mmCIF file of all heavy atoms in Angstrom:
data_model
loop_
_atom_site.group_PDB
_atom_site.id
_atom_site.type_symbol
_atom_site.label_atom_id
_atom_site.label_comp_id
_atom_site.label_asym_id
_atom_site.label_seq_id
_atom_site.Cartn_x
_atom_site.Cartn_y
_atom_site.Cartn_z
ATOM 1 N N ARG A 50 3.193 -22.931 -0.997
ATOM 2 C CA ARG A 50 3.430 -23.944 -2.040
ATOM 3 C C ARG A 50 4.706 -24.733 -1.744
ATOM 4 O O ARG A 50 4.828 -25.885 -2.141
ATOM 5 C CB ARG A 50 3.559 -23.278 -3.407
ATOM 6 C CG ARG A 50 2.289 -22.655 -3.937
ATOM 7 C CD ARG A 50 1.404 -23.612 -4.724
ATOM 8 N NE ARG A 50 2.045 -24.299 -5.799
ATOM 9 C CZ ARG A 50 2.182 -23.838 -7.035
ATOM 10 N NH1 ARG A 50 1.720 -22.662 -7.357
ATOM 11 N NH2 ARG A 50 2.788 -24.556 -7.956
ATOM 12 N N LEU A 51 5.672 -24.105 -1.074
ATOM 13 C CA LEU A 51 6.898 -24.780 -0.668
ATOM 14 C C LEU A 51 6.965 -24.740 0.851
ATOM 15 O O LEU A 51 7.040 -23.664 1.440
ATOM 16 C CB LEU A 51 8.124 -24.100 -1.276
ATOM 17 C CG LEU A 51 8.221 -24.164 -2.806
ATOM 18 C CD1 LEU A 51 9.423 -23.366 -3.293
ATOM 19 C CD2 LEU A 51 8.315 -25.599 -3.286
ATOM 20 N N ALA A 52 6.909 -25.915 1.487
ATOM 21 C CA ALA A 52 6.856 -25.987 2.953
ATOM 22 C C ALA A 52 8.094 -26.687 3.503
ATOM 23 O O ALA A 52 8.538 -27.706 2.984
ATOM 24 C CB ALA A 52 5.597 -26.716 3.400
ATOM 25 N N THR A 53 8.627 -26.096 4.566
ATOM 26 C CA THR A 53 9.796 -26.634 5.253
ATOM 27 C C THR A 53 9.332 -27.639 6.316
ATOM 28 O O THR A 53 8.145 -27.697 6.642
ATOM 29 C CB THR A 53 10.578 -25.497 5.927
ATOM 30 O OG1 THR A 53 9.723 -24.845 6.867
ATOM 31 C CG2 THR A 53 11.068 -24.493 4.899
ATOM 32 N N PRO A 54 10.273 -28.398 6.892
ATOM 33 C CA PRO A 54 9.892 -29.293 7.989
ATOM 34 C C PRO A 54 9.224 -28.518 9.129
ATOM 35 O O PRO A 54 9.636 -27.390 9.452
ATOM 36 C CB PRO A 54 11.234 -29.882 8.437
ATOM 37 C CG PRO A 54 12.097 -29.819 7.205
ATOM 38 C CD PRO A 54 11.691 -28.548 6.519
ATOM 39 N N ASP A 55 8.192 -29.103 9.727
ATOM 40 C CA ASP A 55 7.406 -28.435 10.775
ATOM 41 C C ASP A 55 8.226 -28.003 11.972
ATOM 42 O O ASP A 55 7.925 -26.997 12.608
ATOM 43 C CB ASP A 55 6.270 -29.346 11.258
ATOM 44 C CG ASP A 55 5.220 -29.565 10.195
ATOM 45 O OD1 ASP A 55 5.071 -28.696 9.316
ATOM 46 O OD2 ASP A 55 4.554 -30.617 10.239
ATOM 47 N N ASP A 56 9.276 -28.763 12.300
ATOM 48 C CA ASP A 56 10.061 -28.450 13.498
ATOM 49 C C ASP A 56 11.159 -27.421 13.231
ATOM 50 O O ASP A 56 11.889 -27.056 14.137
ATOM 51 C CB ASP A 56 10.663 -29.723 14.096
ATOM 52 C CG ASP A 56 11.631 -30.418 13.157
ATOM 53 O OD1 ASP A 56 11.519 -30.238 11.923
ATOM 54 O OD2 ASP A 56 12.501 -31.155 13.657
ATOM 55 N N TRP A 57 11.247 -26.902 12.031
ATOM 56 C CA TRP A 57 12.240 -25.874 11.721
ATOM 57 C C TRP A 57 11.639 -24.530 12.063
ATOM 58 O O TRP A 57 11.194 -23.766 11.204
ATOM 59 C CB TRP A 57 12.670 -25.965 10.260
ATOM 60 C CG TRP A 57 13.555 -27.143 9.980
ATOM 61 C CD1 TRP A 57 13.484 -28.377 10.554
ATOM 62 C CD2 TRP A 57 14.635 -27.202 9.061
ATOM 63 N NE1 TRP A 57 14.456 -29.204 10.060
ATOM 64 C CE2 TRP A 57 15.174 -28.511 9.134
ATOM 65 C CE3 TRP A 57 15.191 -26.291 8.192
ATOM 66 C CZ2 TRP A 57 16.262 -28.911 8.362
ATOM 67 C CZ3 TRP A 57 16.271 -26.696 7.417
ATOM 68 C CH2 TRP A 57 16.801 -27.991 7.511
ATOM 69 N N LEU A 58 11.635 -24.220 13.347
ATOM 70 C CA LEU A 58 10.927 -23.043 13.853
ATOM 71 C C LEU A 58 11.593 -21.721 13.491
ATOM 72 O O LEU A 58 11.005 -20.662 13.692
ATOM 73 C CB LEU A 58 10.741 -23.157 15.365
ATOM 74 C CG LEU A 58 9.922 -24.371 15.816
ATOM 75 C CD1 LEU A 58 9.841 -24.414 17.335
ATOM 76 C CD2 LEU A 58 8.539 -24.359 15.196
ATOM 77 N N PHE A 59 12.800 -21.761 12.929
ATOM 78 C CA PHE A 59 13.432 -20.519 12.481
ATOM 79 C C PHE A 59 12.794 -20.007 11.190
ATOM 80 O O PHE A 59 13.031 -18.889 10.766
ATOM 81 C CB PHE A 59 14.949 -20.694 12.311
ATOM 82 C CG PHE A 59 15.363 -21.565 11.142
ATOM 83 C CD1 PHE A 59 15.766 -20.987 9.944
ATOM 84 C CD2 PHE A 59 15.363 -22.940 11.259
ATOM 85 C CE1 PHE A 59 16.159 -21.785 8.876
ATOM 86 C CE2 PHE A 59 15.758 -23.735 10.199
ATOM 87 C CZ PHE A 59 16.152 -23.160 9.000
ATOM 88 N N VAL A 60 11.964 -20.839 10.575
ATOM 89 C CA VAL A 60 11.181 -20.432 9.408
ATOM 90 C C VAL A 60 9.751 -20.234 9.895
ATOM 91 O O VAL A 60 9.156 -21.123 10.489
ATOM 92 C CB VAL A 60 11.230 -21.501 8.295
ATOM 93 C CG1 VAL A 60 10.358 -21.092 7.123
ATOM 94 C CG2 VAL A 60 12.662 -21.732 7.841
ATOM 95 N N SER A 61 9.195 -19.068 9.651
ATOM 96 C CA SER A 61 7.843 -18.778 10.145
ATOM 97 C C SER A 61 6.781 -19.473 9.297
ATOM 98 O O SER A 61 7.078 -20.077 8.268
ATOM 99 C CB SER A 61 7.607 -17.263 10.186
ATOM 100 O OG SER A 61 7.761 -16.717 8.901
ATOM 101 N N ARG A 62 5.533 -19.365 9.765
ATOM 102 C CA ARG A 62 4.416 -20.018 9.060
ATOM 103 C C ARG A 62 4.391 -19.620 7.586
ATOM 104 O O ARG A 62 4.236 -20.443 6.712
ATOM 105 C CB ARG A 62 3.087 -19.661 9.718
ATOM 106 C CG ARG A 62 2.920 -20.308 11.080
ATOM 107 C CD ARG A 62 1.572 -19.985 11.711
ATOM 108 N NE ARG A 62 0.502 -20.457 10.863
ATOM 109 C CZ ARG A 62 -0.512 -19.697 10.429
ATOM 110 N NH1 ARG A 62 -0.601 -18.443 10.775
ATOM 111 N NH2 ARG A 62 -1.436 -20.205 9.676
ATOM 112 N N VAL A 63 4.515 -18.342 7.306
ATOM 113 C CA VAL A 63 4.709 -17.837 5.944
ATOM 114 C C VAL A 63 5.920 -16.920 6.027
ATOM 115 O O VAL A 63 5.856 -15.856 6.623
ATOM 116 C CB VAL A 63 3.478 -17.078 5.415
ATOM 117 C CG1 VAL A 63 3.749 -16.575 4.008
ATOM 118 C CG2 VAL A 63 2.230 -17.947 5.439
ATOM 119 N N HIS A 64 7.034 -17.359 5.475
ATOM 120 C CA HIS A 64 8.311 -16.665 5.655
ATOM 121 C C HIS A 64 8.618 -15.731 4.491
ATOM 122 O O HIS A 64 8.851 -14.553 4.679
ATOM 123 C CB HIS A 64 9.421 -17.708 5.806
ATOM 124 C CG HIS A 64 10.644 -17.196 6.497
ATOM 125 N ND1 HIS A 64 10.779 -17.231 7.862
ATOM 126 C CD2 HIS A 64 11.775 -16.627 6.021
ATOM 127 C CE1 HIS A 64 11.951 -16.723 8.201
ATOM 128 N NE2 HIS A 64 12.579 -16.342 7.093
#
Side-chain angles (χ1 to χ4, degrees):
R50 292 272 306 274
L51 295 176
T53 60
D55 292 334
D56 62 335
W57 287 35
L58 299 178
F59 70 99
V60 177
S61 59
R62 290 182 60 233
V63 180
H64 202 88

